[in-house]
Amino acid sequence: MRYSQYFIPTVKETPSDAEVISHQLMLRGGMIRKLAAGVYNYLPLGLRSIRKVENIVREEMNRAGAIELLMPTVQPAELWQESGRWEQYGKELLRFRDRKDTEFCLGPTHEEVITDLVRREVKSYRQLPINLYQIQGKFRDEIRPRFGLMRGREFIMKDAYSFDVDEKAADISYDKMYQAYRRIFERCGLKFRAVEADTGSIGGSWSHEFMVLAESGEDAIVSCTACDYAANVEKAEARQSAVTEHADPRDMEKVSTPEKKSIEEVAAFLAIHESSLVKTLVLLADNEPVVALLRGDHELNEIKLKNILGCDTLEMAGEEVVVKVTGAPTGFAGPVGLKAKIIADLAVQGMKNFVTGANAKDLHLKNVNLGRDFNVTTFADIRNVVLGDPCPRCESGTLEMWRGIEVGHVFKLGTKYSKAMKATYLDADGKEQIIFMGCYGIGIGRTVAACIEQNHDENGIIFPLPIAPFHCIISALNMKEDVVREASEAIYGQLAAAGIEVLLDDRDERPGFKFKDADLIGIPMRIVVGSKNLADGKVELKCRRSGEVELLSIADAVEKVKAAVNAAL
Ligand SMILES: O=C(C[C@@H]1CCCCN1)Cn1cnc2cc(Cl)c(F)cc2c1=O
Ligand SMILES: [Mg+2]
């Protein structure tokens, strides 16, 4: 490909509305252009990377025995009404009517469509297991699309769905996908972790997210220093701290804490550590008040609490509810004398003589003790784990914290959709059985963006070779000079003949301008062809990642590029 005849509209300045580096570099590198909020054009360079990720995904899905098909983007409302999700989702599900006034939605995911297809076509256990997948555009009307392809409204997803005779077989399908995902992200050259994850709204029993490690990641994950346990903080288990304070219960007493509301303020005012306080939070679970107790230095994990309560909605109560439930303004709530349902975190169980709100303005209580002064409805793990917590799976490890970008998510779905939509099969005895499902997603565009988040420097992108738009760029310093033009064409021809994806920068631009573009778009290898070095029969080969520069003969440079590409693919 010749740069002068291609379409790579690079931009020098950083766009103001791009907050994360991958968004900035994909705009500046001429890879994407916004059409509307969260809706992007994939320009030629961006599309080449997108297609490379898709092809790696496709190869590994096929290797795992999955079969590719393509479902429509437009989905009839009636399927979603059958599964019960038409009412479950709000404005994120983009709905519309056709000319006959029939209701449709733009597909955000395809459980209903694939289950409808399978219930019509699969009748016997002999047709199972089957794993069907597609690589296709999805639409989710996010309230705040941002970060470029990281959180778009229209995006390309690989979504796969497995169908099995029973849970045991479904576990095998799940594991095949889990292993395929590991191969996919390894082949993309990414540093990632598979972490235990909450299944969220999709239902199902178990799931893993594949996280690309990057400081800009929206997700917080933990991993154990000693074993291979890793989990999204939303799900990571806080093992009950065996520590129980062995202090004799002292008499409870009121203590004036004028205008001291937050844990920090009360702890400082009373000159005690936050872990000697119990914070009392008032929430509404399906609009019913519920009180959560946590040690002062711990944070509530609302997903854990929601899963324990089994409620549909859970949110922090407003001031008026706090006053109604506790009799005091926010900041002075405590468990003593409360009539509400109290869920206490496991860490509260071992606490003695602690401080809590007195359910009265400007008042707290000291030397409060469980059992004597109040009772708890349920003890449960409802807190976020913190750095250094003991690993819940092994005896010696502790938890480390990372930021991650979710690029894949695999779910054990069980029978949620097959039951609702009657997707069954006849077993060997002719008995009708419900199909067990799994579903498996990868964000294609998000994988490219996450790769850039993890692979860049101050000059631009540093693409891992497997998903780079091109393998090598030839920066010809002056194509008007015969020697430079002939050498550049020769190198281009030899590399292209060897199947190397090479971009020849033949533009009539100054060397520095070409070098900046080459660094910005992140092509892994660059060959500089200039008359000075050519006089010695040399060209310059630069590795984008290491910055290493070598003066080599044309033959050696070509061989080195070929070797590097063959080693990386
Ligand atoms: O999509 C999944 C689960 C898996 C992920 C992998 C591929 C198959 N689906 C979860 N999810 C996320 N956002 C959604 C947004 C809307 Cl508007 C919706 F209607 C449904 C969903 C929804 O179901
Ligand atoms: Mg997910």
Side-chain angles (χ1 to χ4, degrees):
M1 203 55 67
R2 294 165 196 290
Y3 206 123
S4 64
Q5 292 151 24
Y6 208 54
F7 179 47
I8 308 176
T10 55
V11 173
K12 195 170 166 17
E13 53 285 342
T14 298
S16 56
D17 67 337
E19 296 160 72
V20 296
I21 189 70
S22 58
H23 188 192
Q24 294 168 4
L25 293 176
M26 292 185 87
L27 287 170
R28 287 190 53 218
M31 297 182 77
I32 58 173
R33 282 295 181 271
K34 184 165 92 172
L35 177 63
V39 178
Y40 286 87
N41 290 297
Y42 301 112
L43 302 191
L45 226 44
L47 183 62
R48 287 176 75 98
S49 286
I50 290 272
R51 289 288 185 250
K52 292 208 172 170
V53 172
E54 288 177 353
N55 289 336
I56 290 172
V57 167
R58 183 172 282 113
E59 282 171 10
E60 293 306 330
M61 290 301 289
N62 295 346
R63 193 201 312 262
I67 306 165
E68 186 170 7
L69 50 63
L70 183 60
M71 292 176 261
T73 304
V74 171
Q75 301 185 18
E78 63 193 326
L79 285 182
W80 286 69
Q81 285 151 355
E82 235 190 296
S83 70
R85 295 212 287 178
W86 189 254
E87 303 310 324
Q88 179 187 342
Y89 283 89
K91 290 185 178 305
E92 198 188 353
L93 183 63
L94 186 63
R95 308 155 202 251
F96 59 95
R97 289 177 179 276
D98 69 3
R99 62 191 306 162
K100 298 198 184 83
D101 218 22
T102 309
E103 278 197 296
F104 290 86
C105 69
L106 270 189
T109 182
H110 282 66
E111 279 80 8
E112 284 80 359
V113 176
I114 196 68
T115 305
D116 174 56
L117 180 68
V118 165
R119 71 177 170 183
R120 296 168 189 278
E121 305 301 334
V122 170
K123 297 291 176 207
S124 159
Y125 71 100
R126 276 190 281 268
Q127 295 171 278
L128 295 173
I130 188 165
N131 178 328
L132 297 165
Y133 79 94
Q134 63 175 348
I135 300 177
Q136 184 238 37
K138 297 279 186 282
F139 194 90
R140 294 177 183 178
D141 203 354
E142 299 268 354
I143 296 178
R144 271 195 70 211
R146 53 195 177 138
F147 302 164
L149 299 192
M150 288 250 269
R151 185 169 290 280
R153 290 196 291 168
E154 179 176 339
F155 56 97
I156 299 170
M157 184 201 276
K158 184 284 300 175
D159 45 325
Y161 305 87
S162 60
F163 301 85
D164 280 283
V165 293
D166 58 24
E167 188 161 12
K168 194 161 153 295
D171 285 353
I172 294 168
S173 295
Y174 183 89
D175 190 54
K176 274 185 184 169
M177 286 290 97
Y178 184 95
Q179 299 310 330
Y181 273 49
R182 293 190 58 77
R183 283 196 297 272
I184 286 166
F185 297 117
E186 276 158 12
R187 285 186 58 188
C188 288
L190 295 172
K191 281 195 286 295
F192 68 93
R193 283 303 296 265
V195 301
E196 290 181 20
D198 186 60
T199 55
S201 60
I202 185 81
S205 61
W206 184 250
S207 83
H208 280 87
E209 285 165 337
F210 285 76
M211 294 286 187
V212 166
L213 302 179
E215 274 318 297
S216 58
E218 287 188 325
D219 288 287
I221 62 176
V222 292
S223 63
C224 174
T225 51
C227 72
D228 60 5
Y229 175 71
N232 189 312
V233 165
E234 289 172 351
K235 180 160 174 86
E237 295 153 40
R239 200 172 61 183
Q240 176 164 346
S241 42
V243 170
T244 301
E245 293 167 48
H246 300 294
D248 295 333
R250 295 194 290 275
D251 292 344
M252 185 167 79
E253 55 180 284
K254 290 188 171 135
V255 57
S256 165
T257 49
E259 292 302 304
K260 303 301 171 204
K261 299 182 181 186
S262 73
I263 292 291
E264 296 75 20
E265 286 169 339
V266 175
F269 183 71
L270 299 178
I272 55 174
H273 193 276
E274 290 174 11
S275 62
S276 311
L277 272 147
V278 164
K279 73 170 78 167
T280 304
L281 303 172
V282 182
L283 299 106
L284 290 173
D286 290 344
N287 283 325
E288 283 299 311
V290 66
V291 169
L293 301 186
L294 294 117
R295 205 174 78 184
D297 56 329
H298 288 157
E299 294 302 321
L300 173 66
N301 179 317
E302 289 194 26
I303 290 178
K304 286 182 181 176
L305 181 57
K306 190 161 175 273
N307 289 341
I308 284 156
L309 294 172
C311 53
D312 288 331
T313 63
L314 178 69
E315 71 250 326
M316 299 306 286
E319 182 70 15
E320 65 288 349
V321 172
V322 172
V323 172
K324 191 155 73 61
V325 170
T326 69
T330 304
F332 300 98
V336 179
L338 275 197
K339 295 283 170 290
K341 181 178 186 182
I342 299 181
I343 313 276
D345 181 64
L346 297 175
V348 172
Q349 212 154 14
M351 292 177 73
K352 296 277 190 303
N353 298 315
F354 46 82
V355 172
T356 71
N359 291 325
K361 189 167 171 6
D362 297 341
L363 264 185
H364 276 74
L365 292 172
K366 280 172 67 174
N367 302 330
V368 178
N369 283 283
L370 267 163
R372 184 191 69 184
D373 306 329
F374 71 97
N375 285 309
V376 163
T377 318
T378 317
F379 282 103
D381 170 10
I382 57 170
R383 73 176 174 91
N384 283 334
V385 293
V386 293
L387 178 67
D389 268 348
C391 171
R393 290 284 191 289
C394 75
E395 290 316 306
S396 57
T398 59
L399 298 180
E400 293 179 307
M401 300 280 271
W402 312 89
R403 303 299 299 184
I405 302 165
E406 178 194 335
V407 290
H409 200 159
V410 292
F411 298 77
K412 286 181 187 171
L413 270 186
T415 57
K416 170 174 174 168
Y417 294 87
S418 42
K419 195 170 196 161
M421 298 176 71
K422 299 179 184 53
T424 60
Y425 68 94
L426 293 182
D427 65 16
D429 306 327
K431 193 163 168 301
E432 191 171 40
Q433 305 285 0
I434 300 264
I435 287 178
F436 273 76
M437 290 177 62
C439 64
Y440 316 90
I442 291 180
I444 301 292
R446 187 182 277 189
T447 299
V448 174
C451 169
I452 295 171
E453 289 291 327
Q454 197 176 73
N455 296 280
H456 67 270
D457 64 11
E458 64 284 357
N459 298 315
I461 301 167
I462 305 177
F463 268 115
L465 198 126
I467 54 178
F470 287 93
H471 300 144
C472 177
I473 183 167
I474 300 170
S475 302
L477 296 192
N478 182 348
M479 287 294 272
K480 291 196 183 88
E481 290 179 287
D482 291 350
V483 286
V484 171
R485 188 178 57 257
E486 283 156 19
S488 303
E489 296 289 358
I491 295 168
Y492 180 85
Q494 288 170 39
L495 288 176
I500 306 296
E501 294 171 17
V502 52
L503 178 65
L504 168 53
D505 189 349
D506 58 349
R507 293 174 296 169
D508 184 8
E509 297 287 356
R510 291 185 329 289
F513 186 87
K514 294 190 176 185
F515 294 163
K516 281 209 177 304
D517 272 347
D519 284 347
L520 173 61
I521 63 180
I523 309 300
M525 286 173 287
R526 180 178 81 197
I527 296 179
V528 178
V529 181
S531 52
K532 192 164 70 62
N533 287 329
L534 275 178
D536 306 330
K538 302 282 186 202
V539 291
E540 189 184 274
L541 172 62
K542 179 180 173 185
C543 167
R544 176 69 182 87
R545 184 171 297 280
S546 66
E548 185 193 344
V549 175
E550 291 178 90
L551 271 180
L552 300 166
S553 70
I554 288 179
D556 289 349
V558 167
E559 280 321 301
K560 197 130 199 202
V561 168
K562 282 195 223 172
V565 170
N566 294 334
L569 292 185

